[in-house]
Amino acid sequence: MRSIIILSALHCAIAQNITQTSSISFSATPVSTTVPSPTVPLDTPVPGQGDYPPVQYLCEDGTNTTYCPGILLQDVQLAGIFPDSKTFVDKPTNGTLNDTLAAFNALGSNVTVGQIETFVESNFKGEGLDLEQISIEGFNQNPAILDNISDPIYKAWTSIVNSYWTLLIRETNQSSLCNGTCDSSLIPLNHTVVVPGGRYREIYYWDSRWIIEGLLKSELFDYAWNLLQNMMDFIDIYGYIPNGGRKYYVNRSQPPMFIQMLDAYVKVTGNTTILDRALPLASAEMQWWSNNRTFNYTSPFTGRTLLVAHYAVNNSAPRPEGYVEDYETVTGSSPALNESAKAELYSELATGAESGWDYSSRWCKQPLQNVSDNNPALRTLNIKAIIPVDLLSLLSGDHLLLANLYDLYSNTTGSSIPTTSNSTQTGNSTEIVQTNSTGTSSSGNSSSSNSSPAFYHRQQAQLFSDAVLDLCWDPAKAWFYDFNTTSNSRSNVYSPAGAWPLWQNITPNEIANNETEALRFVSGARFLLGKYSGIPSVASLLYTGLNWDFPNSWPPHLHTTIKAFETLGRHHPNATVLSNLTIPFSQVASSQLGLQESELQPQPQSTIGNVSLQTQEAQGKPWPLALSIEYANRYLGAAFCSWYSTGGAIEGLLTQLPLSELNATGTYTAGQSGVMFEKFNATDTDAAGGGGEYTVQVGFGWTNGVVLWAAGEYGQYLPAPTCPMIPIIEVTNNGNSSVYSNGTTTNGTGAIGNDTGSGNATSSLLFAGYRIPREEWK
């Protein structure tokens, strides 16, 4: 590392105009809309004409619209006038649907790219105008979680993240609703929504699980209530919750998180009045999953018939929001697919979107095909044949939480709510160790008559738990894996999904009762903590170029992995204090990671920089808590450092990097003042994740939510942020010396000002960062 500071760069950084503060002021961000930008000559015929998909009855009952698969949508999408397929399907029409269809039909046959460009410019409005940004009512600048954070930089930054909700909270723009005068893909909702951000400009189902976690930490209880009301409206309308708030999403759902969200809300707020409406609708959603996504399967290990679930979307056309990508995946196959095979691959692609993991090596027969081209791997998708360990665990947890909520309602009101579903299915006697967040055990309840809703949901929870422990738990490897019905065996892909059973409190007896076995379970996590400098809960260890594979680490997985560690801490309250939390590959449970050490992707030394792979704050703690601290620190470090390296600053406390140093990781664009990415890079704390079918998104709802959760739960243990190639220096009062976070002192000259107007800094603290060029790191 260089031993001196380039003072001119440092002074330049301090002189930057600081625009990012923790104070809340509302000014609606202008909606940026996309204009057509053809990439081929305008007289080029649109490809694919005459080869159109069949009618998709799950999209607007098969009627002719601008956003459902059909002639109009395919011709516009394959004209390639927008770089993102989602852009067009989010644009409402200028006139009525009939007027729009008439204008399209007037183009005749053999249409050209130029004709499509003119048609779209003349007949469609901008995307994203149907929801409008609003100011937050009752915003709390100083939620209680800030009192739990020791480090001043993290505390001030968390306050800034807390303010980002104003960028993501929306309500339906009543003036833009069509009401028969135009055609739009938006599903209008009656309550405010929180959008993820970027291209995701509407509400999404499973994203909302971690968004509500953040809203609750921010004490924005009314907005959490609104979010739940929107989910209930979806169930009222459709009988389930669609993937997102667009009509083209209604042929699929996403991981069923509503009950988890409801439980979290009730637990934090104590508001049980929401249960009057919520409980019957939550039961209805569970019944939809039972009717549409479950089947019985005979275990090859025990011979028992088990209730299992999978993702499975009825679809035989490209996804409207991913039309070009899906079309190229299917039609580019060599040898060419017949119509039946095309329909099946389109179904697999939509099913991958329902899983939330679109896409991952978890779902592919042959994932390691071409890291620069996802299509070969995607042509081997086999998702519908997979019994996902995370889905089974989630359904078990959902049913158990729902049973507990029924009990809570009964205890609170003295009455019960009639169930919306009846089942004669019975459980079995397999013993599991299972606890829950509302404090009622799975073996005892206050409304346990055989006809009660609570009794039924406990039965279902037991059935799914039995399947998890039978099909997915591998005691030899000490990890949970997906089960593949094609091969009638467990997958060998190690992923954070294997921590979901413990998140949902499904814990094998040998782990619950034996600390040595529990340590075998976390052996892979301990190795990865020492192997990679970023967030260790990486989506998978296979580098495929797919969105949900190495090196991408996603916020939900950080949360669920720490929740698994917390479960182990409850089972082992007197857990050992380990002298070294990280371990070599040789000490990982045999075959747990599914790869040999030589097959793992390397950690580039150039991106470790001055980051320590373990923190002093975790030392001396029982290992479940120590792992939680380390993982929380890695996540918050990744979120903070990528924010800081893209222009973030804290008024009066942390100066912005010089503009010349803001694009070292390729993720800064002019005008940014710190962004929150949807995913991160396990090998580079300063950088965002990558890969997949769209560019990395910023915003970002679940990222912010998990930041607020992690800071609130583990903020007291956080050291000062350490960005690998951006040392952050404390500048003393007179400006004549600077101190690295590791204690190294450097000398400078001249006083440096300290603006404390934001309330985030004290008069004696000012921090500055400077970037070390990566090629100079030694």
Side-chain angles (χ1 to χ4, degrees):
M1 185 177 72
R2 292 187 302 181
S3 59
I4 61 170
I5 299 174
I6 300 176
L7 290 175
S8 60
L10 176 60
H11 288 161
C12 178
I14 294 171
Q16 291 293 324
N17 179 31
I18 307 302
T19 59
Q20 192 66 264
T21 75
S22 65
S23 60
I24 184 71
S25 60
F26 176 73
S27 178
T29 303
V31 176
S32 176
T33 60
T34 308
V35 297
S37 54
T39 58
V40 297
L42 298 183
D43 60 356
T44 304
V46 174
Q49 295 183 63
D51 180 21
Y52 299 105
V55 172
Q56 303 299 300
Y57 289 98
L58 288 177
C59 189
E60 289 291 84
D61 298 320
T63 57
N64 200 356
T65 69
T66 60
Y67 47 81
C68 290
I71 298 174
L72 186 155
L73 180 60
Q74 177 161 306
D75 284 355
V76 172
Q77 296 284 39
L78 297 190
I81 59 176
F82 298 112
D84 185 346
S85 292
K86 193 174 184 298
T87 299
F88 174 69
V89 290
D90 291 353
K91 288 179 175 288
T93 62
N94 276 329
T96 67
L97 176 59
N98 286 339
D99 290 341
T100 306
L101 294 175
F104 177 75
N105 291 334
L107 299 179
S109 59
N110 198 29
V111 296
T112 65
V113 171
Q115 287 177 296
I116 293 295
E117 178 186 26
T118 301
F119 164 73
V120 171
E121 287 181 324
S122 302
N123 291 280
F124 290 85
K125 304 174 187 176
E127 71 280 6
L129 301 175
D130 34 24
L131 291 171
E132 58 184 350
Q133 193 177 339
I134 60 171
S135 60
I136 298 179
E137 296 180 4
F139 177 75
N140 183 356
Q141 281 188 254
N142 297 292
I145 62 168
L146 297 181
D147 297 333
N148 193 46
I149 305 170
S150 303
D151 179 74
I153 293 179
Y154 268 137
K155 184 172 185 176
W157 174 68
T158 302
S159 178
I160 290 174
V161 175
N162 179 56
S163 75
Y164 283 166
W165 295 123
T166 197
L167 305 176
L168 300 174
I169 290 178
R170 304 278 192 275
E171 67 181 8
T172 301
N173 182 355
Q174 297 296 324
S175 65
S176 73
L177 292 182
C178 287
N179 297 321
T181 61
C182 61
D183 192 34
S184 170
S185 63
L186 182 75
I187 302 174
L189 294 170
N190 296 321
H191 306 277
T192 55
V193 304
V194 185
V195 303
R199 74 196 290 262
Y200 301 114
R201 54 183 68 91
E202 54 283 304
I203 192 172
Y204 281 81
Y205 186 7
W206 85 312
D207 291 66
S208 296
R209 169 63 184 85
W210 291 278
I211 286 172
I212 204 170
E213 197 75 54
L215 292 174
L216 293 172
K217 289 297 186 185
S218 295
E219 300 170 19
L220 294 173
F221 304 128
D222 287 347
Y223 292 95
W225 185 90
N226 286 339
L227 192 158
L228 290 169
Q229 294 296 329
N230 285 323
M231 296 297 169
M232 288 187 274
D233 289 345
F234 278 136
I235 301 173
D236 258 342
I237 296 168
Y238 299 107
Y240 63 97
I241 300 174
N243 184 145
R246 295 277 172 184
K247 295 171 186 175
Y248 52 74
Y249 284 140
V250 301
N251 71 339
R252 62 183 190 259
S253 187
Q254 274 193 323
M257 295 287 180
F258 171 64
I259 294 168
Q260 306 282 325
M261 296 157 58
L262 177 65
D263 178 75
Y265 172 82
V266 171
K267 183 180 179 183
V268 170
T269 66
N271 179 5
T272 59
T273 60
I274 196 172
L275 299 179
D276 284 305
R277 184 186 185 205
L279 291 183
L281 290 170
S283 292
E285 189 202 17
M286 289 295 93
Q287 192 62 49
W288 182 89
W289 280 89
S290 177
N291 293 343
N292 295 279
R293 298 294 188 266
T294 65
F295 60 99
N296 291 324
Y297 193 79
T298 301
S299 167
F301 309 114
T302 63
R304 297 167 56 199
T305 299
L306 301 166
L307 177 64
V308 298
H310 66 156
Y311 297 108
V313 178
N314 182 8
N315 179 70
S316 56
R319 295 166 298 147
E321 80 286 1
Y323 205 102
V324 173
E325 295 82 1
D326 286 4
Y327 183 88
E328 291 177 348
T329 298
V330 171
T331 62
S333 180
S334 179
L337 303 177
N338 60 32
E339 292 306 311
S340 176
K342 286 181 181 179
E344 182 61 22
L345 184 48
Y346 282 132
S347 176
E348 289 284 345
L349 289 162
T351 299
E354 181 171 75
S355 77
W357 290 53
D358 43 340
Y359 297 94
S360 168
S361 56
R362 289 178 68 190
W363 314 134
C364 299
K365 295 177 183 177
Q366 300 175 36
L368 298 173
Q369 298 262 334
N370 186 337
V371 296
S372 62
D373 180 3
N374 292 336
N375 286 333
L378 294 179
R379 292 175 188 131
T380 72
L381 286 172
N382 192 40
I383 309 173
K384 292 188 293 183
I386 302 294
I387 299 172
V389 60
D390 42 0
L391 177 60
L392 285 186
S393 303
L394 188 58
L395 286 169
S396 177
D398 284 348
H399 279 289
L400 188 60
L401 289 177
L402 187 51
N404 295 333
L405 289 169
Y406 269 110
D407 284 344
L408 176 64
Y409 182 84
S410 178
N411 292 337
T412 303
T413 66
S415 62
S416 63
I417 299 175
T419 182
T420 58
S421 60
N422 294 297
S423 174
T424 59
Q425 216 163 12
T426 58
N428 49 59
S429 59
T430 298
E431 173 116 9
I432 60 172
V433 179
Q434 193 164 34
T435 58
N436 57 80
S437 66
T438 54
T440 306
S441 76
S442 59
S443 59
N445 60 83
S446 61
S447 56
S448 58
S449 67
N450 289 359
S451 61
S452 73
F455 180 83
Y456 165 74
H457 289 295
R458 282 197 173 85
Q459 277 188 326
Q460 297 301 104
Q462 182 73 51
L463 292 172
F464 285 121
S465 297
D466 290 343
V468 170
L469 291 167
D470 188 316
L471 296 177
C472 303
W473 171 241
D474 190 323
K477 298 180 181 179
W479 194 251
F480 290 93
Y481 302 88
D482 299 324
F483 187 86
N484 188 326
T485 64
T486 300
S487 62
N488 199 32
S489 63
R490 296 186 188 106
S491 167
N492 63 1
V493 175
Y494 176 91
S495 81
W500 282 40
L502 269 66
W503 173 39
Q504 295 303 312
N505 298 298
I506 303 170
T507 308
N509 282 329
E510 59 262 48
I511 286 181
N513 299 326
N514 186 319
E515 186 182 14
T516 300
E517 288 301 307
L519 283 166
R520 288 184 70 234
F521 180 81
V522 299
S523 61
R526 294 174 65 192
F527 168 74
L528 294 174
L529 181 68
K531 172 71 173 176
Y532 299 114
S533 63
I535 306 169
S537 51
V538 62
S540 87
L541 298 176
L542 296 177
Y543 180 50
T544 65
L546 296 172
N547 204 20
W548 290 80
D549 278 330
F550 191 92
N552 292 334
S553 288
W554 294 81
H557 295 155
L558 180 281
H559 174 258
T560 57
T561 299
I562 290 180
K563 297 302 287 185
F565 296 155
E566 291 177 354
T567 297
L568 292 170
R570 290 193 295 274
H571 286 304
H572 300 282
N574 300 311
T576 304
V577 174
L578 301 174
S579 59
N580 193 346
L581 203 58
T582 64
I583 58 174
F585 184 84
S586 60
Q587 295 180 25
V588 177
S590 179
S591 302
Q592 185 183 85
L593 299 181
L595 297 172
Q596 297 298 317
E597 185 172 17
S598 60
E599 296 175 303
L600 294 170
Q601 294 297 310
Q603 166 65 54
Q605 290 301 307
S606 62
T607 60
I608 293 180
N610 58 333
V611 169
S612 172
L613 297 183
Q614 294 189 68
T615 64
Q616 290 184 344
E617 287 72 12
Q619 295 178 10
K621 306 292 192 300
W623 61 263
L625 175 58
L627 281 171
S628 297
I629 293 169
E630 293 287 7
Y631 272 57
N633 179 57
R634 290 286 186 90
Y635 177 76
L636 290 165
F640 171 83
C641 292
S642 56
W643 172 86
Y644 188 48
S645 69
T646 53
I650 304 171
E651 186 174 352
L653 185 65
L654 177 66
T655 66
Q656 188 184 63
L657 285 170
L659 294 178
S660 61
E661 297 182 3
L662 283 175
N663 200 33
T665 57
T667 48
Y668 174 77
T669 57
Q672 286 178 342
S673 55
V675 299
M676 303 293 286
F677 292 110
E678 64 169 342
K679 58 188 175 184
F680 301 99
N681 187 319
T683 69
D684 189 347
T685 302
D686 284 350
E693 63 184 11
Y694 57 84
T695 58
V696 64
Q697 300 298 294
V698 301
F700 197 82
W702 64 17
T703 304
N704 304 351
V706 176
V707 162
L708 295 165
W709 173 81
E713 296 296 314
Y714 294 96
Q716 70 270 36
Y717 302 113
L718 294 178
T722 306
C723 303
M725 309 307 293
I726 311 173
I728 294 177
I729 304 157
E730 181 180 341
V731 181
T732 59
N733 276 337
N734 60 12
N736 289 329
S737 66
S738 302
V739 184
Y740 289 99
S741 58
N742 66 6
T744 302
T745 301
T746 59
N747 294 321
T749 58
I752 297 172
N754 185 14
D755 177 8
T756 59
S758 70
N760 285 327
T762 69
S763 60
S764 61
L765 289 178
L766 179 67
F767 296 87
Y770 74 100
R771 188 180 295 283
I772 301 172
R774 296 183 175 225
E775 64 274 12
E776 293 188 22
W777 183 267
K778 302 297 184 185

